[in-house]
């Protein structure tokens, strides 16, 4: 049946023709809709399931006053190719390292 990250979350996931890919050669993306208890370490571990973690050089994950993340993070990759692989493998898939059915949503960080 494959891993949880390989399972799609349905037809309403952003894979449509009107999805913005961001400027050509850009290396920063915004992750949305991830588990509120995730830390930047958890996010890096999730990314490392799909792309070499050494390809990530920056993570910004804001937290609120209730000890939860804000549900989004900005991640910069060292090259556009690594970013493209992460987008292809993770966008619209269920978070593998968390219980539940939230799907990763990836947007350009422009």
């Amino acid at each position: 049946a494959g891993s949880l990250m390989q399972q799609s979350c349905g037809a309403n996931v952003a894979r449509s023709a009107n999805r913005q890919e961001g400027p050509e050669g850009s290396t920063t993306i915004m992750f949305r809709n991830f588990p509120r208890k995730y830390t930047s370490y958890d996010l890096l571990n999730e990314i490392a399931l799909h792309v070499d973690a050494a390809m990530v050089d920056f993570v910004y994950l804001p937290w609120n006053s209730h000890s939860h993340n804000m549900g989004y993070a900005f991640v910069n990759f060292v090259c556009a190719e690594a970013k493209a692989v992460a987008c292809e493998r993770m966008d619209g898939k269920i978070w593998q390292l968390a219980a539940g059915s939230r799907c990763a949503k990836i947007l350009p960080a422009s």
Side-chain angles (χ1 to χ4, degrees):
S3 69
L4 289 176
M5 197 63 175
Q6 299 303 318
Q7 297 174 5
S8 181
C9 292
N12 61 347
V13 174
R15 284 250 187 240
S16 64
N18 63 1
R19 179 174 166 221
Q20 297 179 2
E21 296 298 328
E24 187 172 332
S26 69
T27 57
T28 306
I29 55 177
M30 179 183 196
F31 280 90
R32 301 275 326 240
N33 200 35
F34 59 90
R36 291 296 179 115
K37 294 287 186 178
Y38 258 31
T39 64
S40 55
Y41 181 77
D42 295 326
L43 179 57
L44 282 171
N45 281 333
E46 189 83 50
I47 292 169
L49 295 173
H50 307 284
V51 179
D52 184 355
M55 295 286 106
V56 175
D57 64 358
F58 179 81
V59 173
Y60 173 67
L61 175 63
W63 285 74
N64 66 25
S65 61
H66 303 291
S67 298
H68 292 95
N69 67 57
M70 300 292 287
Y72 67 91
F74 291 95
V75 176
N76 190 69
F77 292 86
V78 298
C79 64
E81 293 80 14
K83 179 198 85 166
V85 170
C87 289
E88 179 63 32
R89 293 181 180 174
M90 297 179 73
D91 190 29
K93 304 297 189 295
I94 295 173
W95 293 100
Q96 189 170 352
L97 300 177
S101 59
R102 283 184 175 240
C103 297
K105 182 168 184 166
I106 299 175
L107 303 168
S110 51

